[in-house]
Amino acid sequence: MLRRLNIRDFVIVERAQLEFERGFTVLTGETGAGKSILVDALSMLLGERGDAAMVRAGAKQAEIAAEFELDASASEPSDWLARAGLEGDPGCCLVRRVLDAGGRSRAFINGHPSTLAQLRELAEMLLDIHGQHAHQSLLRAASQRELLDAYGGSSDLVANVAAAHRHWAELQGRYDAARRDEARLGRERESLAWQVEELSRLDLRAGEWSELNGEHARLAHAAGLIEAASASIDAMAEDEHAILRLLNGVRSRLARASEYDASLKSVTDLLDTAQIELQEAVHALERYRLRLEVDPQRLRVVEQRLEAVHTACRKFHLQPDTLQAALDEAQMRLAQLELDLDLERLGREVAQAKRGYDQAAGALTQARTSAAVKLGRQVSSVIRGLALAGAKFVVRLEVLAEPSAHGMERIEFDVATHAGAEPAPLSKVASGGELSRLSLAVQSVLSQVARVPTLIFDEVDAGIGGRVAEIVGQMLHRLSARHQVMCVTHLAQVAACADHHYRVSKREQASAVTSEVEALDERQRVQELARMLAGLKITAATLEHAAEMLRESKRPLSEV
């Protein structure tokens, strides 16, 4: 739901800081005061295109920011923010739009730069504006379909149809590709079969390439390694002037000298350590020399193995350490090609998938047909009480030329606004005021299934008054039990039903006109309702009438 709205230098609003609560909120004010500017500001904030004319005269830029509270029970907005990398604080979403005097705009979601497309996508999950504005979901074909399916409780059927269509389309694509590219795929299969055979015959083990190179280096240089080990042993232990013999002589002399100077004992200890380590080095070299042997036959075997690996690498343009991965990939692709080239089997699978889709889509069509009749009857009943006597609302299912992921029919909301008229598409026959009332009627029926938490109605009371206005106010109040509802109105009967009341007023200063917004307390609400009832001349009787309207609005509401 919408918690806060801050507006700065937008059209004629210099500064406005509004905080909203749950329930039903109305915005009222004299004609030209700027009531609908707040709706326009929200529309621009959530993705409508802006232009330089929206920046207040004399200001450098307009800025609109809003804070939305995300319902923990509805994960769709939070999941969308996470997928888009636009997360903010848990349970909260901050949206900001800046429009400069040159017409350039910037948008931010939770402090992250965002696009207008992202704003519009997010807006569809946060609020819906009903009236002559861009966020009219009632006119979108996709929204009409979603509303009908939500009303009919068909979410599982919709998911089944989408999954069945996806499966069918995937198999059909593979079948068409196999028929179209059978020759090419056959050549690819032959090439892969040869590659798999060659690499399988090579059978290069994991780590074998490194082992072969190490063994080859030892075998190729065995004679030199033996000679180096022998010379080192001689120099350290066996020659006349070997290091160990010289070290023993030095150690003996220093040992005798230490009898006269004990400080030399530490030096002899170091020499003892050096002597032990040299002896261990000699023993290690002797063991190493015994293990080494010149083996020309083994060297040839290793060299042949290395050459086989090099040949495979040149043949397939690979590196030795990627040969096994290439074999695995070729085997998987070959297995897939074997399946893809079995056209008879693929044809059977496509037919089976199509039957599965037809079954799922048929169940959805049946559910939609039943829901369409019921929804049309209920909405028609409601709109006839909204100064649209004789009106009829019809949900029409039009069979598609090609089955889709959404089912086998197109959903369209049709309406006849007076008796005798033939129902026609909503967008073609409803005026702004009629559309708002139709939206209200549909939302009142669908309130238990609608997902958008905030509903805003503009011009919902155009062309009505008296008892009809009271009915509209009661409907909006009932709707606010499940949604946050806001309404721009000029009718006291509607305003009296609200839980919260804001007044928009116009103030002239110097050569500029600005619009101001204030929350009204109980006394101020009576004054505002009296103004709406009587205009400029407010009498005691008018005030009493206004107070009585407020008292009546607090009584339990009857069903419309």
Side-chain angles (χ1 to χ4, degrees), residues 497-525:
C497 294
D499 301 306
H500 317 287
H501 193 151
Y502 285 90
R503 179 173 59 205
V504 183
S505 58
K506 185 168 58 176
R507 179 165 58 92
E508 297 185 17
Q509 53 181 9
S511 59
V513 176
T514 60
S515 185
E516 296 180 342
V517 186
E518 62 177 326
L520 303 183
D521 58 24
E522 193 77 5
R523 183 187 61 81
Q524 291 170 321
R525 286 192 70 182

Side-chain angles (χ1 to χ4, degrees), residues 224-239 285 289:
L225 293 172
I226 292 172
E227 182 183 352
S230 298
S232 299
I233 292 170
D234 290 343
M236 285 190 289
E238 297 183 359
D239 286 350
L285 283 172
R289 184 174 59 181

Side-chain angles (χ1 to χ4, degrees), residues 523 526-528 530-531 538-548:
R523 183 187 61 81
V526 172
Q527 291 283 341
E528 177 65 5
R531 182 200 63 77
I538 300 175
T539 65
T542 309
L543 289 170
E544 178 56 33
H545 185 194
E548 178 64 20

